Amino acid sequence: MSNSAGNAMDAEEQFWRRWGWMLSGVWLLFLIFPILQLLQNPYPSHVRIIGLGLLVIFSFTYLRGFRKYSHHVGQGGTNEPEALLSFLLLAVLVVPAIFFIEVNALGLLPFITSFAAFLLTKRWVIATYAVATALSIGLPIFLGQFSDGLFLIGLNLAMMVVYAVTVAAISRSVASEELRGDYLVMAEQERVARDVHDGIGHSLTALNLKAQLALRLIDAGQIDRARTEVQQLSTLALDALASVRTTVQGLERQDLDAELALLRKVCDDSGLSFTLVGNAEQIELRWRSHTAWIVREALTNVLRHAHAGAVRVTITAVEVTVDDDGDGLREQDTGHGIRGMVERAKQIGATATVGPSPFGGTRLQLIFASSIKEQQ
């Protein structure tokens, strides 16, 4: 479970590192204001060239910062020195923009506030928002261009609200995923504890009783009966070992295709006819690992208890059924294996039920959440 969580975190970080710049790239549209100001006003050519060059540096710094640090979005931001230096460079570049293009320099502030809101820590966000608000209102008043800058004033204030709400939503989503991950870990721990208590614990208790009985028979000189008990000890030990393997394998992510192939071989080796209708590709990828575990548990029950001659696994996009022609479900068979399958199904929003099969034995039916919703 910890490896899966670690792999998920690595994949998420790689996604942000590769595509995070797109989160910032959409805001480059706001550069139209300083660019138009430079091109439409009668500035000397060298001023235009320097101004456009500074805008290129500004854009590169902004995009590079998001590309490198966007995996911190929703994680509380970063205080890494290079991220702070990039932010300060963006802030410094606003100064010459104010000198050359005056109130239109406010078109650069959405970049500053978004960089802080998405990538930096809360302390930097509060300070940036305070300065940006003061500058958005104070600069047009100081330059006597309040009416000219009214659109940019409103734009900056509105975008700061948008950034704050967006970051809050992302943070909430990240927290929700972490909580869900914690729940799955706890559910898996409970399953292991239940399997150990109900399965392995029962086997070890039986082993202890058999061993004590064998010792008493040896003391009484009943060697043949003691030999029989020792042979049964060996059988119980093998069952306990199989339970341990099942529990350990349940912790690992299962490949449904590989599991079906392995189960076919096990059935063939045991003289049990195995029929598969459908294939793993019909099931959504996110459900396959749990489905593999449930199908394996169902087949294990058939091999151990059903005295069946044939088993049939049917897979569709909405359900999986495992049928056998064995003895049928008995009251004493409703133990940890069935409870484990029901709990495992709940983890993916599915339902698992066990009942009589039209083939004469037992049927396990796993119905996925999508089919349940369609029926409602």
Side-chain angles (χ1 to χ4, degrees):
M1 180 65 71
S2 59
N3 288 338
S4 298
N7 291 338
M9 290 176 64
D10 291 342
E12 182 178 354
E13 183 169 334
Q14 289 174 6
F15 170 84
W16 281 111
R17 287 188 183 277
R18 185 173 182 179
W19 303 108
W21 64 273
M22 295 182 68
L23 184 65
S24 61
V26 67
W27 308 116
L28 292 179
L29 177 66
F30 291 127
L31 286 179
I32 192 65
F33 298 105
I35 290 175
L36 288 177
Q37 182 70 8
L38 284 170
L39 295 179
Q40 291 179 350
N41 287 300
Y43 292 114
S45 297
H46 70 278
V47 171
R48 290 181 177 176
I49 293 173
I50 293 174
L52 293 173
L54 291 176
L55 288 178
V56 170
I57 296 173
F58 185 93
S59 302
F60 175 78
T61 303
Y62 180 73
L63 290 174
R64 183 176 180 275
F66 264 85
R67 184 181 184 278
K68 190 167 184 179
Y69 298 105
S70 57
H71 60 280
H72 289 288
V73 175
Q75 304 286 349
T78 179
N79 273 321
E80 294 184 34
E82 188 174 345
L84 297 178
L85 285 174
S86 296
F87 172 74
L88 293 175
L89 176 59
L90 293 176
V92 167
L93 289 175
V94 174
V95 176
I98 293 175
F99 179 77
F100 286 110
I101 59 177
E102 300 181 332
V103 75
N104 285 286
L106 295 180
L108 298 178
L109 288 187
F111 298 90
I112 306 293
T113 51
S114 68
F115 194 103
F118 287 108
L119 303 185
L120 302 184
T121 58
K122 188 175 182 180
R123 182 182 64 179
W124 283 93
V125 176
I126 294 173
T128 302
Y129 270 38
V131 173
T133 301
L135 190 60
S136 295
I137 298 173
L139 182 63
I141 294 176
F142 176 77
L143 296 175
Q145 300 176 355
F146 188 81
S147 58
D148 294 336
L150 195 58
F151 171 75
L152 288 174
I153 294 171
L155 176 67
N156 275 289
L157 297 178
M159 292 312 301
M160 283 190 281
V161 174
V162 170
Y163 298 149
V165 172
T166 303
V167 171
I170 294 174
S171 299
R172 184 174 181 180
S173 175
V174 170
S176 176
E177 284 299 312
E178 290 177 350
L179 184 62
R180 180 176 179 273
D182 291 341
Y183 166 77
L184 291 177
V185 170
M186 291 178 62
E188 194 74 351
Q189 289 172 341
E190 291 176 0
R191 183 195 68 79
V192 173
R194 182 176 61 248
D195 287 358
V196 170
H197 179 270
D198 293 347
I200 302 172
H202 172 77
S203 298
L204 293 178
T205 300
L207 282 171
N208 180 54
L209 293 174
K210 287 287 185 183
Q212 291 179 4
L213 177 57
L215 287 174
R216 288 198 299 269
L217 291 172
I218 291 173
D219 291 339
Q222 301 180 36
I223 304 301
D224 290 338
R225 287 190 60 190
R227 181 186 298 276
T228 300
E229 295 298 328
V230 171
Q231 289 174 343
Q232 292 178 6
L233 271 174
S234 176
T235 301
L236 286 171
L238 290 176
D239 287 342
L241 180 60
S243 295
V244 171
R245 287 174 176 167
T246 299
T247 300
V248 172
Q249 288 173 350
L251 296 173
E252 301 171 352
R253 186 169 184 83
Q254 302 297 315
D255 179 85
L256 183 55
D257 271 323
E259 193 65 48
L260 291 170
L262 177 60
L263 290 173
R264 179 185 292 278
K265 183 178 185 305
V266 170
C267 289
D268 290 342
D269 293 343
S270 303
L272 183 65
S273 173
F274 181 90
T275 302
L276 174 63
V277 179
N279 57 72
E281 301 300 322
Q282 294 175 263
I283 300 176
E284 289 192 32
L285 183 61
R286 58 193 171 121
W287 294 337
R288 291 179 195 170
S289 177
H290 289 274
T291 301
W293 189 96
I294 293 170
V295 171
R296 184 184 68 238
E297 183 65 27
L299 263 294
T300 299
N301 287 340
V302 172
L303 291 166
R304 287 181 179 174
H305 310 298
H307 304 105
V311 65
R312 179 187 181 96
V313 178
T314 305
I315 299 176
T316 70
V318 296
E319 70 174 4
V320 175
T321 58
V322 180
D323 293 286
D324 68 75
D325 60 355
D327 297 338
L329 188 67
R330 297 166 295 181
E331 185 177 351
Q332 62 266 33
D333 291 335
T334 57
H336 67 278
I338 292 177
R339 290 200 302 273
M341 288 188 286
V342 171
E343 290 299 321
R344 178 74 71 151
K346 286 181 179 178
Q347 292 179 12
I348 56 174
T351 59
T353 57
V354 178
S357 168
F359 296 97
T362 303
R363 161 172 283 190
L364 164 76
Q365 185 176 37
L366 176 66
I367 302 178
F368 298 115
S370 59
S371 61
I372 295 175
K373 291 178 181 179
E374 289 171 1
Q375 295 170 4
Q376 291 178 343

